[in-house]
Amino acid sequence: MSIREQLEQIKKDGLRELENFADAKELDNIRVRYLGKKGELTAILKQMGKLSAEERPIVGQAANEVRQALENAVQKSVERLKEKELAHRLASETVDVTLPGKSEPLGGLHPLSIVQNELIDIFQSMGFDIVDGPEVETDYYCFEALNVPKDHPARDMQDTFYLGDNLLLRTQTSAAQARVMEKRNPPIRIVCPGRVYRADEVDATHSPVFHQMEGLVVDKGITMCDLKGCLEQFAHEIYGPETKVRFRPSFFPFTEPSVEVDVSCSECGGKGCRICKGTGWIEILGAGMVHPNVLRGCGIDPDVYSGFAFGIGLDRLTTTRYRISDIRLLFENDERFLDQFQGK
Ligand code: DAH
């Protein structure tokens, strides 16, 4: 076979093989076999020396054409291979957007948080600041600063978890009052929501941990009228404008005079039912005019300033609001119970 015939043969074989290969590895093998340094084409070119001077350029050109043709074919094959791979990947990674999604269970707010947030909104709209106080509190802030000295019989009203001589778990959010009055000058208008603790036996209406929201207003010329107006508005916002509000005389060492506030039962409208234990009224908070001793102890002159304070029981508010029959449900975290408040 002449060199030219050999070149033709290489071209024909090469092109045929480049039409037919299984994968990238085989394609590369073909390329090396025909076009590589030790490939067939190079082997032919090495024989060029045997040719006459006239033949050499002609065969050389023919060889270049063969090389060019094979290189083009390799290039095309590489592209075809890439397209095939891409198509394959697209097909295997296709996402079926019509498949139903995996639904993650959504949590909701705890009923106590729902009520607490609502109260915060109401008081914020009346210009109150929200403050936080520590649950582990000193005897001073929880009692002494509130006009309850060490041996005062009023301590019996609140069975206390002591953590040492001077530390305790706060029994009332009222503990925040003196902390605020020591730091801020009047006018003061704050509410302090949070957990409180008392060594009570657990039953349907008692829990050793429960929740309160303390309120405190101190300014010049604050009177019992302000207290009544503020708490009446609060009761109407939370229970509706038709709700009746009743102020009963009471006693708290840190207020004088002191009151307890009842609202007409929203369940029976005052006729008497299971929720209000037949009385037609539900007690929601204690309140009063801040005792001069308390103001004085915090460096506020009671001849210049006066104030009122209140403590709302959040658990009672929540159980009556949602007709929850047992306070323990609020603390058990039973999902069947909590799920009922989703989206409320
Ligand atoms: N701290 C009282 C309690 O836990 C509630 C209370 C009553 C708070 C009167 C007050 C208040 O601020 O003025 O029973």
Side-chain angles (χ1 to χ4, degrees):
M1 229 194 298
S2 73
I3 293 186
R4 296 190 66 157
E5 281 166 348
Q6 285 181 46
L7 280 171
E8 270 312 305
Q9 191 61 44
I10 287 174
K11 183 174 165 189
K12 227 168 84 188
D13 292 347
L15 289 178
R16 183 168 30 84
E17 282 195 51
L18 284 169
E19 282 296 318
N20 240 330
F21 58 89
D23 51 25
K25 195 164 162 237
E26 206 181 315
L27 173 62
D28 203 50
N29 285 341
I30 299 169
R31 184 185 62 78
V32 170
R33 189 143 30 83
Y34 285 95
L35 295 164
K37 265 195 207 136
K38 293 181 182 159
E40 297 197 18
L41 200 58
T42 319
I44 299 282
L45 292 175
K46 279 186 184 150
Q47 299 173 29
M48 295 267 281
K50 294 180 195 156
L51 297 174
S52 67
E54 301 88 66
E55 264 182 317
R56 231 176 271 157
I58 299 166
V59 173
Q61 197 187 351
N64 275 340
E65 276 168 22
V66 171
R67 171 183 295 280
Q68 197 61 52
L70 289 175
E71 276 174 358
N72 286 348
V74 168
Q75 185 59 34
K76 274 208 193 103
S77 299
V78 168
E79 276 161 22
R80 244 190 302 132
L81 197 68
K82 271 194 198 150
E83 274 167 27
K84 235 167 76 182
E85 272 170 11
L86 182 66
H88 178 71
R89 245 185 51 211
L90 286 177
S92 67
E93 291 174 9
T94 303
V95 176
D96 182 352
V97 292
T98 63
L99 281 177
K102 282 188 207 140
S103 69
E104 295 294 339
L106 254 189
L109 284 180
H110 190 280
L112 273 167
S113 303
I114 299 173
V115 169
Q116 180 174 310
N117 290 348
E118 204 171 307
L119 262 56
I120 285 177
D121 278 353
I122 293 173
F123 284 110
Q124 246 170 356
S125 74
M126 294 193 222
F128 284 72
D129 274 353
I130 316 301
V131 302
D132 207 10
E135 289 175 28
V136 174
E137 188 49 285
T138 61
D139 188 275
Y140 177 76
Y141 286 113
C142 196
F143 292 123
E144 283 188 53
L146 294 171
N147 205 26
V148 188
K150 279 246 151 62
D151 297 316
H152 197 286
R155 291 215 178 194
D156 281 353
M157 287 164 76
Q158 303 180 357
D159 218 345
T160 309
F161 287 115
Y162 284 93
L163 303 174
D165 277 347
N166 266 319
L167 275 187
L168 44 80
L169 293 178
R170 69 176 175 192
T171 56
Q172 47 187 354
T173 45
S174 307
Q177 282 192 22
R179 286 184 175 274
V180 172
M181 283 191 274
E182 280 178 358
K183 278 204 212 84
R184 300 192 189 186
N185 292 322
I188 292 170
R189 213 182 286 180
I190 58 102
V191 287
C192 170
R195 261 194 292 257
V196 296
Y197 303 84
R198 289 186 201 174
D200 285 337
E201 288 294 327
V202 178
D203 64 26
T205 53
H206 292 89
S207 161
V209 49
F210 56 103
H211 302 78
Q212 291 186 335
M213 186 181 284
E214 187 73 12
L216 174 70
V217 173
V218 182
D219 202 351
K220 286 181 182 157
I222 297 287
T223 69
M224 192 83 184
C225 265
D226 298 304
L227 177 156
K228 284 187 78 177
C230 175
L231 295 179
E232 246 162 21
Q233 169 157 2
F234 156 71
H236 286 161
E237 292 213 28
I238 198 106
Y239 285 106
E242 68 290 344
T243 305
K244 291 199 215 65
V245 183
R246 173 170 93 168
F247 294 78
R248 274 184 292 113
S250 184
F251 170 79
F252 298 102
F254 31 91
T255 44
E256 178 58 36
S258 304
V259 291
E260 273 173 318
V261 177
D262 304 334
V263 292
S264 54
C265 178
S266 53
E267 180 73 10
C268 61
K271 286 194 214 72
C273 69
R274 197 173 50 90
I275 300 285
C276 59
K277 303 217 177 84
T279 64
W281 295 94
I282 293 170
E283 182 194 323
I284 55 164
L285 59 89
M289 301 306 292
V290 181
H291 198 291
N293 286 353
V294 175
L295 292 174
R296 208 174 290 121
C298 299
I300 294 175
D301 185 349
D303 292 330
V304 179
Y305 293 101
S306 54
F308 69 83
F310 55 88
I312 304 169
L314 295 183
D315 310 79
R316 171 71 73 83
L317 214 64
T318 306
T319 51
T320 52
R321 167 75 164 297
Y322 293 117
R323 296 172 204 163
I324 298 165
S325 55
D326 193 317
I327 193 177
R328 284 170 285 201
L329 285 164
L330 295 177
F331 302 101
E332 283 166 353
N333 282 336
D334 186 329
E335 281 188 40
R336 292 166 302 179
F337 169 74
L338 295 175
D339 279 348
Q340 299 175 51
F341 300 92
Q342 275 231 39
K344 286 241 165 114

